Amino acid sequence: MPLFGGTQNAAYAVVEQADGTIQVMVKEFREPDELEAKIEAAGIPADVTFTEAGKRCAPGRFAGADLAYDPPDTANMTEQERREFDKPENWRSRDAARPIDRNTFVISPKYIRPGETLVLEFRPGNHPGPAWTLGTYLAKAGSPIAPCTLVDAQSDEASVKEMTTAHG
């Protein structure tokens, strides 16, 4: 399993797997530009941000390629709108990068279309389980990505409840 970028950085590792996925281990929140460069060296255009605990990037940084970045309110959807909303195609961002254990996630390039950028927003975790909360989004091809402006984040538990309610 080759490691991209030559030597292994103690903060993280990026490894291409035999099945074409890319495994990323994050041990420390530092040097996001270097992690971004290693992911890009593996063939995935990326934007990586490490936030502080209790913060997230303000919405509106880029145009999302699917509903994961700016999902509509599901409260008053018709049955047909709900069927469209629930199509897996509308949630590729969640499949493009998925946590697999406390410090590791896997990028699946098959969910990323040409020209799209994988946007990763990491926030230190504050509960048992993952060491961090990972926001994964796909920016539309050609969409500029603005720098992260930090805003207060929901608690991890509230975020999980919202995701389960919105898409479950």
Side-chain angles (χ1 to χ4, degrees):
M1 292 185 215
L3 196 61
F4 290 96
T7 61
Q8 182 172 350
N9 181 313
Y12 50 80
V14 178
V15 182
E16 185 175 4
Q17 303 295 303
D19 64 0
T21 61
I22 300 158
Q23 185 171 311
V24 181
M25 180 180 288
V26 177
K27 297 179 188 176
E28 298 177 45
F29 277 13
R30 62 182 176 98
E31 302 169 355
D33 292 341
E34 288 187 30
L35 177 56
E36 185 176 297
K38 286 193 179 229
I39 293 170
E40 289 180 354
I44 305 297
D47 181 277
V48 176
T49 302
F50 296 144
T51 70
E52 53 195 73
K55 299 290 183 180
R56 66 180 181 91
C57 294
R61 294 178 57 206
F62 56 89
D66 63 11
L67 297 177
Y69 186 59
D70 188 20
D73 182 5
T74 59
N76 296 313
M77 283 187 174
T78 66
E79 187 175 326
Q80 182 166 342
E81 289 170 332
R82 184 62 192 211
R83 278 195 302 270
E84 181 66 26
F85 176 84
D86 286 338
K87 287 182 179 178
E89 173 66 20
N90 290 324
W91 299 95
R92 291 181 298 114
S93 292
R94 293 182 180 167
D95 294 322
R98 290 193 164 274
I100 58 170
D101 68 29
R102 182 169 169 78
N103 297 310
T104 308
F105 68 96
V106 172
I107 299 171
S108 298
K110 69 182 179 180
Y111 294 104
I112 304 170
R113 293 180 180 159
E116 292 179 340
T117 301
L118 179 62
V119 179
L120 301 170
E121 296 177 5
F122 293 86
R123 182 176 74 230
N126 59 3
H127 63 92
W132 30 260
T133 299
L134 175 61
T136 62
Y137 311 103
L138 292 170
K140 280 186 183 178
S143 172
I145 301 171
C148 177
T149 300
L150 294 177
V151 296
D152 289 337
Q154 293 183 25
S155 71
D156 293 338
E157 293 80 7
S159 294
V160 167
K161 183 178 179 184
E162 180 181 290
M163 283 182 10
T164 303
T165 303
H167 188 248

